[in-house]
Amino acid sequence: MPALTFVFAIVAIVAIGYVIRLLSRPTGDRRGRGWQVGLLLLVVCVALGLGAYNAVVVQRKQEAKQAVERGKELMQRGKTDEAEQEFKRAQELDPKNKAPKEELEKVAKAREEAKRRADQGTGTVAPSGGGGGGGGAAGGAATPAGHPQRRESQVRITGYAIDVTLDPKKHALTAEARFSIRAKRAKVREFDLALSPECTIQKLTVAGKPADRKREGEWITVSPKGPVDSRRDSEVTIRYKGFGKERLLPAGDVLSTEGSYLRPESRWCPAIGYLEFRSPVTVRITVPKGQFALGPGVLKSEKPAADGGTTYEWECKQNAMGVAIAAGPWQKLEGKAGDVPITVLLWKKDAARAEHVLAVAKRSVELFERLYGKFPYDKLAIAEIPFFPGGYSPTSMVLLGEILFQKNSRITKLFDAVIAHEIAHQWWGNLVMPQGPGAGWLAEGFAEYSSIVYVEHTLGEKAFRRALWDAKQQYHFLNQNPPEEAIIDTDPFNQQGSYMGVVYSKGAYVLHMLRQVIGDEAFYATLKGFLDDRRYGLGTIAQFEAEAEKRSKQKLDWFFDEWLERTGTIVLVYDWRTQSLGSGEWETVITLDQQSDPPYRMPIDLQVVTPSGKTLDTGKLTGAHNEFRFVTRDEPRDIDIDPRDNLLLAIPKRKAPATTQPS
C-alpha cells in the first residue's frame, strides 16, 4: 500500500473509532454531539476518498514506469513501432512524467537515423536471439548500443568454458572464460573478440601468455605473442567483471533478485561473431542462496558456494549456438517427452500453470520429433524470466517472459502456440544455424509454421485454418506502412520495418504454400532431410531449395523466385457468371485476373455454392488472365476463392460492371 494511502486509511480508522465512541455513550450524554458525529463521518469520507485517489495515482504511475521499461527494451531490440505504443501508453497513464516524452523523442530520432542509413545504403547489425525472441539493430541512434555488430571472425572456437558469479542485488557479475580457438587460415597474428563495453577486462592471455589488446566499443582486437595456428588449439583466458548500474542491462537483459537472464546478444561473455559461435560449452554459474541457475545442456553438479550460495555446472556436449544463462527463485516441475527430460521453472505466483506448460512441451517435443527427427539436446528446460516481451530459445532452453503469464495479456490466447514456436527453434535456428541471405526465414519462418502445425495436430482442422488466417492478417497488418522487403533481402541483424511481417508471418505462409505444391510426404521429408544432413552445423536457403527439389522430384526455382525474391503477394480481381445448360445442369465460369506483374504460378482452390451444397476444385493460376469452369446440378448462389486459406493473397475484389456512356 502506498504510504500516503496508508496515512489516509489510519485517519479514517481513527475517525470511525471516535464516531463509535460517541454513539456508544448514554443517550443523555450524546445531546449536542450530532455535529461532531457528522464532522467525523465527513473526515472518514474525505480520508477514504483521498486514499483511494492516491492509490489509483500511484498505480498509474507504476504502470507508466513499467510501460517505459518495456518500451526501452523494445527499442533496444529494434522494435520501434511497438516501443512507441508503450511510451504513448505511459504518457497517457502519467502525463506529468517526462520520461515517456523523452523516449518518444528518441523514437523519432531513431526513425530519422534509420531513414538516413537506408538512403545511404548502410546496413544495421543486430541478430535475432537464439533462434527466437527477435532482435534489434545496432550502431547510431536507430540502433541502440549493446547489440552485437556483424563482423566475421578470423578464428573459430572449438571448445568453451566459463565460470560466472552473479550478484543480482548489485546487478553485476564477475567471470572467467577459457576457450580454445583455431585460425580459419594457416596462421593468424591478430583476431577480434566481442565483449560488452559494460565489462572491464582484468586479465587476457593467449596460450598462457599476456596478449596485447585494443578495444573499440564491444570489439577487442587481440594480438597474441605468437600466431594462432589452424592445425592446433590455442587457449584464450579472459577474466572480467561487468554491469552493476541497474537491473535492465544495455542490451535488454536483466540481472536482478526477481530473476536474471543473459543472452549472447548482450555480449555478456567474450565470443566471436554471433552467427559463427558453434561449440560444446561448459558453464559454471554461482548464484545467491534461494536461486537456481540454468545453463545449456545437462546439469553435471550442484555444489555449495561462499555466503550460502550455490554453484551449478552445466555441460552441453553438442555444438551450442552461443552461451545463454538464466537464474531465479523458481518452483520446479519435471517430466519427460519420450526419453527427453523436461524441466519447467516458474515463479511461485505462476507455479499453478507448470502442469499446463509441461503438457504443451511434451506434445510439442513428441510432434516435432516425428516431423523433424530426434530432439537435438540432452534436456529441455522452460523458465520464466522477468520483463522479456515474449519467448526466447537458446540451446536446450526456452525462456518465457512474465508477460505471457499475465491473465490480461494480449497473447494469452496464443500461449500454447508461443511455447510450440520456441521449442521448434531447438531444430530451426539451433540444431542448424541459418547462414547467408534471408537467414532469419530458416529460423523464424520455420518456427512460426511449426507452431501452426502444432495447432493443426492438437486442435484440429478448424483451428488450423484459423491460425493460417491469423498469419495472413498479421502479414497484411504489419506491412501497411513500412516498405516491404523480399524474404531473401531481410537481415536478421536489422529487424526494423517489415521484418516481422515478412519473415514470421509471410515466411510461415510460404512454407504452407510449398506444402500445397509438393504434397505432405515430400514436404516433411524435405524438412527432416535438411536437418539430418546439417545437424549441429550451418544451412542456407539455397541448400533448402535443393533439398525440396530432391525430395519432390520437381524443379522449384519458380516457386522460390516468386515467394522469396520478390515482395508482395497475389492480388486478384474476379468475376463470375452462370447459365443453364438446358439439361438440368448449370455452368459457372469464374475469371481471375492477376494484378501482380509478373503474375504468380500457383494452385488455387475455388468453390461454387448451391442450395444443395458446395463444389470444391483446385485450379492453377498460370498467367494474368485465368478462367475456370464448373458444372453443377443446381443454380449457383455464390462462389468462394481460396476458401481454405491455402494461399497468401489479398482479399479478392470483384470486377466492376462495365458502364456505357450515354449517346
Side-chain angles (χ1 to χ4, degrees):
M1 180 185 292
L4 199 54
T5 302
F6 181 75
V7 170
F8 286 131
I10 293 297
V11 170
I13 291 169
V14 171
I16 291 170
Y18 272 109
V19 170
I20 294 171
R21 184 177 174 186
L22 285 170
L23 294 176
S24 64
R25 290 182 179 181
T27 305
D29 293 343
R30 282 184 278 167
R31 292 176 183 173
R33 297 188 180 270
W35 67 272
Q36 293 178 327
V37 173
L39 180 60
L40 287 170
L41 288 175
L42 178 62
V43 170
V44 170
C45 292
V46 171
L48 290 176
L50 289 173
Y53 173 76
N54 182 66
V56 170
V57 169
V58 171
Q59 176 67 23
R60 289 175 67 86
K61 286 180 179 290
Q62 184 63 28
E63 290 178 5
K65 183 179 179 182
Q66 292 172 352
V68 170
E69 284 193 355
R70 284 194 299 270
K72 287 181 179 179
E73 156 71 1
L74 291 165
M75 277 291 288
Q76 289 168 334
R77 297 177 63 232
K79 298 186 177 183
T80 311
D81 294 340
E82 295 174 39
E84 183 180 38
Q85 294 304 313
E86 291 292 347
F87 296 141
K88 286 181 177 178
R89 181 169 176 268
Q91 210 170 33
E92 291 173 1
L93 289 167
D94 187 6
K96 293 183 179 180
N97 189 346
K98 295 180 180 179
K101 182 179 178 182
E102 292 172 354
E103 296 301 330
L104 284 169
E105 290 173 354
K106 292 179 184 178
V107 169
K109 290 179 181 178
R111 287 193 172 127
E112 289 175 8
E113 179 66 13
K115 184 177 184 303
R116 184 186 66 78
R117 285 174 175 270
D119 292 342
Q120 293 176 348
T122 57
T124 53
V125 285
S128 66
T143 53
H147 283 285
Q149 294 178 337
R150 187 205 308 255
R151 184 180 292 190
E152 185 177 356
S153 178
Q154 305 86 346
V155 298
R156 59 187 178 90
I157 292 177
T158 58
Y160 197 99
I162 186 168
D163 290 89
V164 56
T165 298
L166 303 182
D167 187 343
K169 286 186 178 179
K170 296 182 178 178
H171 318 303
L173 63 81
T174 57
E176 182 171 292
R178 299 171 302 283
F179 50 97
S180 302
I181 59 173
R182 289 193 181 191
K184 288 185 176 179
R185 55 179 187 271
K187 292 184 185 296
V188 168
R189 298 194 176 276
E190 68 176 28
F191 57 90
D192 293 326
L193 294 174
L195 181 65
S196 170
E198 302 293 318
C199 294
T200 302
I201 295 175
Q202 299 167 313
K203 171 188 173 183
L204 196 161
T205 64
V206 179
K209 298 178 181 179
D212 294 333
R213 62 181 185 268
K214 181 175 65 176
R215 187 158 198 173
E216 182 181 350
E218 67 183 27
W219 286 102
I220 305 159
T221 300
V222 181
S223 302
K225 300 301 182 187
V228 176
D229 201 290
S230 61
R231 295 168 298 175
R232 62 181 65 89
D233 289 344
S234 295
E235 183 168 284
V236 179
T237 300
I238 302 180
R239 185 184 304 143
Y240 62 98
K241 61 181 180 179
F243 308 110
K245 294 179 181 178
E246 54 185 25
R247 63 187 285 272
L248 183 62
L249 307 184
D253 292 357
V254 170
L255 255 175
S256 73
T257 53
E258 62 183 315
S260 305
Y261 61 92
L262 297 169
R263 303 167 299 154
E265 290 95 323
S266 68
R267 297 302 204 192
W268 72 274
C269 61
I272 58 174
Y274 175 72
L275 292 180
E276 297 181 70
F277 190 118
R278 300 291 285 177
S279 167
V281 169
T282 298
V283 186
R284 281 177 287 275
I285 313 162
T286 300
V287 291
K289 183 179 179 180
Q291 297 228 340
F292 180 79
L294 180 62
V298 295
L299 182 62
K300 302 296 291 184
S301 67
E302 178 180 337
K303 297 178 180 178
D307 300 323
T310 307
T311 298
Y312 298 89
E313 180 177 343
W314 293 87
E315 181 183 44
C316 184
K317 294 179 180 179
Q318 301 86 2
N319 281 348
M321 182 179 174
V323 183
I325 63 173
W330 295 304
Q331 304 284 307
K332 183 190 297 186
L333 178 67
E334 295 180 321
K336 276 193 169 185
D339 60 355
V340 180
I342 301 176
T343 302
V344 178
L345 301 163
L346 302 184
W347 296 345
K348 186 176 181 180
K349 68 181 181 66
D350 297 318
R353 301 184 66 180
E355 290 281 2
H356 179 76
V357 173
L358 180 60
V360 175
K362 285 181 179 179
R363 289 194 293 267
S364 299
V365 170
E366 289 166 357
L367 171 63
F368 297 151
E369 281 198 320
R370 291 200 305 271
L371 298 180
Y372 307 145
K374 183 175 174 57
F375 186 77
Y377 306 104
D378 296 326
K379 74 99 173 48
L380 173 65
I382 302 174
E384 184 177 5
I385 57 174
F387 194 71
F388 197 74
Y392 180 83
S393 306
T395 300
S396 77
M397 291 184 275
V398 169
L399 305 180
L400 299 175
E402 60 182 312
I403 189 173
L404 296 173
F405 293 88
Q406 295 177 6
K407 291 183 180 179
N408 62 345
S409 170
R410 290 169 295 176
I411 50 179
T412 295
K413 65 177 182 179
L414 303 175
F415 186 72
D416 293 6
V418 170
I419 295 173
H421 173 111
E422 299 305 335
I423 290 175
H425 274 307
Q426 300 304 318
W427 287 268
W428 302 107
N430 289 341
L431 175 59
V432 175
M433 182 187 289
Q435 299 287 296
W441 178 61
L442 288 172
E444 297 301 348
F446 285 58
E448 187 69 5
Y449 189 59
S450 296
S451 72
I452 295 174
V453 171
Y454 172 86
V455 171
E456 177 186 17
H457 283 258
T458 57
L459 298 179
E461 180 73 11
K462 185 176 180 180
F464 172 57
R465 297 296 166 185
R466 174 68 192 193
L468 284 170
W469 187 86
D470 286 343
K472 183 186 297 187
Q473 301 313 306
Q474 185 80 343
Y475 162 72
H476 289 306
F477 174 77
L478 291 174
N479 287 282
Q480 292 180 94
N481 297 318
E484 182 180 337
E485 294 177 288
I487 287 177
I488 203 72
D489 294 328
T490 57
D491 182 357
F493 289 80
N494 175 17
Q495 297 187 16
Q496 298 276 11
S498 63
Y499 186 88
M500 292 288 290
V502 170
V503 171
Y504 286 70
S505 304
K506 182 177 182 177
Y509 237 104
V510 169
L511 287 169
H512 182 68
M513 291 187 293
L514 177 63
R515 180 179 169 185
Q516 307 313 302
V517 169
I518 66 177
D520 278 17
E521 184 177 351
F523 177 73
Y524 286 114
T526 297
L527 299 182
K528 191 172 184 299
F530 177 79
L531 293 170
D532 284 346
D533 292 347
R534 295 162 186 83
R535 288 179 74 85
Y536 311 111
L538 310 175
T540 66
I541 288 177
Q543 291 169 337
F544 179 77
E545 180 179 343
E547 188 73 28
E549 291 188 334
K550 182 177 82 171
R551 300 289 178 171
S552 67
K553 298 180 174 58
Q554 298 182 39
K555 285 294 291 178
L556 294 169
D557 53 336
W558 63 270
F559 177 88
F560 287 92
D561 287 350
E562 281 186 357
W563 293 108
L564 299 188
E565 298 194 12
R566 60 188 283 191
T567 60
T569 185
I570 299 172
V571 179
L572 297 175
V573 172
Y574 75 97
D575 201 3
W576 67 285
R577 63 183 185 275
T578 187
Q579 63 178 354
S580 172
L581 296 178
S583 58
E585 293 182 321
W586 294 80
E587 181 185 59
T588 302
V589 178
I590 301 172
T591 59
L592 301 178
D593 292 330
Q594 292 199 61
Q595 306 302 294
S596 310
D597 187 22
Y600 287 83
R601 296 168 47 195
M602 285 296 293
I604 185 168
D605 291 340
L606 297 169
Q607 186 168 262
V608 174
V609 182
T610 69
S612 60
K614 299 175 180 178
T615 302
L616 178 70
D617 200 1
T618 301
K620 189 170 184 179
L621 296 173
T622 56
H625 179 77
N626 305 268
E627 194 168 281
F628 307 91
R629 297 177 183 272
F630 285 77
V631 175
T632 58
R633 291 192 175 276
D634 297 316
E635 182 179 2
R637 298 288 179 83
D638 201 358
I639 67 164
D640 287 329
I641 299 169
D642 188 35
R644 297 183 296 178
D645 290 303
N646 281 329
L647 281 183
L648 183 61
L649 55 91
I651 297 175
K653 295 181 180 180
R654 188 160 189 176
K655 187 176 182 180
T659 58
T660 58
Q661 297 293 329
S663 56

